[in-house]
Structure formats: structure tokens, C-alpha cells
Amino acid sequence: MALYVGLDVSLRMTSICVLEADGSSVWEGKAESEPVSLVKVLSPWRDKIALLGIEACPLSEWLYGALVESKFQIVCIETRHAQRFLSSRPNKTDRSDARGIAEMMRLGHYRSVHVKSKASQLLRTTLIARKKFVDHMLAIEDTIRGLMKVHGLKLGAVHRSRFAARVETLLADAPDLRMGIKPLLEARNMMRKHKALMDRQLSQMARKDDVCKRLMTYPALDRS
């Protein structure tokens, strides 16, 4: 008889429920939220598991990919739809949620979501990291501007490539400010150096990507 599995994932532990097609329970328990631990627990029923469900969460993409590689038939289910289904159950516990997800698999009452490929996840991580990097670099520049303005040192409109030189020029006339401004400026300069390296690597990746190359052929809009 086909088996259906529900996984309720938390940071440390994952609650697991294995059901038969008629709804009777085969096994309920927990395992560490690690691919090796989950595969080890589920291996005894590997050939009988018809479908395994996992709710979308920060760890789900990682665990989903590992279980797919281990040849399990698995779907990642939409969070809000799952919450509506699970909220109708009398007890709200990890064990109950795992049972509810297994029931969703058994009944076919779920909405699956697309799970990005590992390559897409890595690229997304890099792009998010770059954005945070730039945000903090700009925040440091604004802080330097604000601190120097208090002492009457106005940077004015200056290109980012000449920002450090302009700060150094103004600090030459206010050496007492170096203790506070210099560490910020050094941190900003190092961040700018690493941003340039990251941009270069991303540009190389874009030139090798078919979709990016196609988008680059699109003519620029005339804003005149």
C-alpha cells in the first residue's frame, strides 16, 4: 500500500508522520533538520512512499533538494494554503502539523510551489549579499557626511570614485577628526574594493547566461 509523508520543519528538529492510503498511521516521530537524518529515518519506506510533503520555509529549499537527490517523490507546498488547512485541526503542535501535511498529501489537497535550482539559489544569495553590501557602504558614506558636516566640513556633490580623496583633503584641515572618521573611511574603501570585485564576477556570469545576453540586446530607451 502506498505511503504518504508529512514533514513539519523547524530549525533544529523536524516532525515526521507516515500514513497509509486509508489514513492509518504507520509511524510518527522526529529527526534532526538535516538531510542525512531525514533520509536515514525515511529509508525503510523508500520504495513505498508515493508522496512526501514539506511546507515552504527558509530550510525547505535545502532539504527539498537533498531529498530529491535521494530519489524521494516530494512536493513543497504553499505556506498560506497549508496554514488554512492546518488551522482547522484541533491541536496546533509540530506533531499535529506533520500529520496534517501527510493528510494533505494523501488527499491531494495542496498547492505546490516552484523550488529554485541550486544554481539559482546560489545566484540569489550572491545578489542579496551584494545589495546588503551596497546598502551598508552607502550608510557609512552618509554617516561620514553627517559627522563632518557637524564640524563645518562639507563634502558637497562628489563622485563616489573621488569620495575618499575629498574626505582626506578636508581632514587635512581638521586632524582631530581623524580618530572618528578614518576607521569609517577605511571600512568604506575596503567595502568598495570588494564590491568592484563582486560586480566583475557577476558581469562575467551575465555574459555567459543566455537570458542575460538576450536582455542585453534590447535597445536602451531614449529618455530625451
Side-chain angles (χ1 to χ4, degrees):
M1 185 179 291
L3 301 178
Y4 299 87
V5 180
L7 303 179
D8 183 65
V9 179
S10 62
L11 184 61
R12 291 185 60 254
M13 303 296 293
T14 294
S15 294
I16 305 171
C17 179
V18 183
L19 297 180
E20 290 189 350
D22 60 4
S24 57
S25 178
V26 174
W27 185 83
E28 289 182 284
K30 290 188 174 184
E32 292 182 351
S33 298
E34 298 285 341
V36 174
S37 298
L38 293 177
V39 171
K40 182 178 180 180
V41 169
L42 296 172
S43 289
W45 306 288
R46 180 190 296 271
D47 296 333
K48 295 182 179 180
I49 294 175
L51 194 58
L52 191 155
I54 183 171
E55 186 178 351
C57 69
L59 290 177
S60 60
E61 291 183 343
W62 174 51
L63 297 175
Y64 176 97
L67 290 168
V68 168
E69 290 178 0
S70 297
K71 309 302 181 184
F72 285 98
Q73 189 68 27
I74 179 173
V75 293
C76 187
I77 58 178
E78 202 270 328
T79 301
R80 286 173 295 183
H81 183 260
Q83 289 176 347
R84 285 195 294 269
F85 182 90
L86 298 176
S87 64
S88 64
R89 302 180 66 80
N91 298 317
K92 182 61 177 174
T93 63
D94 292 345
R95 179 179 177 181
S96 176
D97 285 353
R99 174 72 184 242
I101 294 172
E103 291 284 5
M104 294 172 72
M105 299 301 102
R106 184 177 71 87
L107 299 173
H109 185 68
Y110 61 85
R111 293 178 183 172
S112 61
V113 297
H114 173 70
V115 179
K116 300 180 182 69
S117 66
K118 188 172 182 179
S120 295
Q121 293 175 35
L122 290 171
L123 178 58
R124 182 171 181 269
T125 298
T126 302
L127 293 174
I128 292 175
R130 180 193 178 279
K131 183 179 184 305
K132 292 296 181 182
F133 205 77
V134 172
D135 289 344
H136 287 297
M137 186 182 72
L138 295 178
I140 290 176
E141 290 184 359
D142 289 341
T143 299
I144 292 174
R145 284 180 176 273
L147 292 175
M148 296 184 70
K149 188 185 297 183
V150 171
H151 298 276
L153 303 178
K154 305 172 185 179
L155 270 73
V158 58
H159 192 275
R160 191 153 287 118
S161 63
R162 296 190 295 273
F163 182 89
R166 175 62 175 161
V167 172
E168 290 286 1
T169 299
L170 292 175
L171 287 179
D173 297 327
D176 292 343
L177 289 180
R178 280 190 171 275
M179 182 180 295
I181 302 300
K182 190 66 174 179
L184 291 173
L185 185 62
E186 290 178 353
R188 177 264 181 196
N189 291 342
M190 183 59 67
M191 294 176 76
R192 179 171 169 76
K193 177 181 177 181
H194 284 288
K195 174 189 172 294
L197 178 61
M198 189 179 292
D199 287 348
R200 192 178 307 119
Q201 293 171 336
L202 287 169
S203 295
Q204 292 173 353
M205 294 172 61
R207 286 194 290 270
K208 296 178 182 178
D209 185 271
D210 291 337
V211 175
C212 290
K213 288 193 293 185
R214 188 158 61 250
L215 290 172
M216 289 176 188
T217 64
Y218 192 82
L221 295 176
D222 184 3
R223 300 183 183 275
S224 59

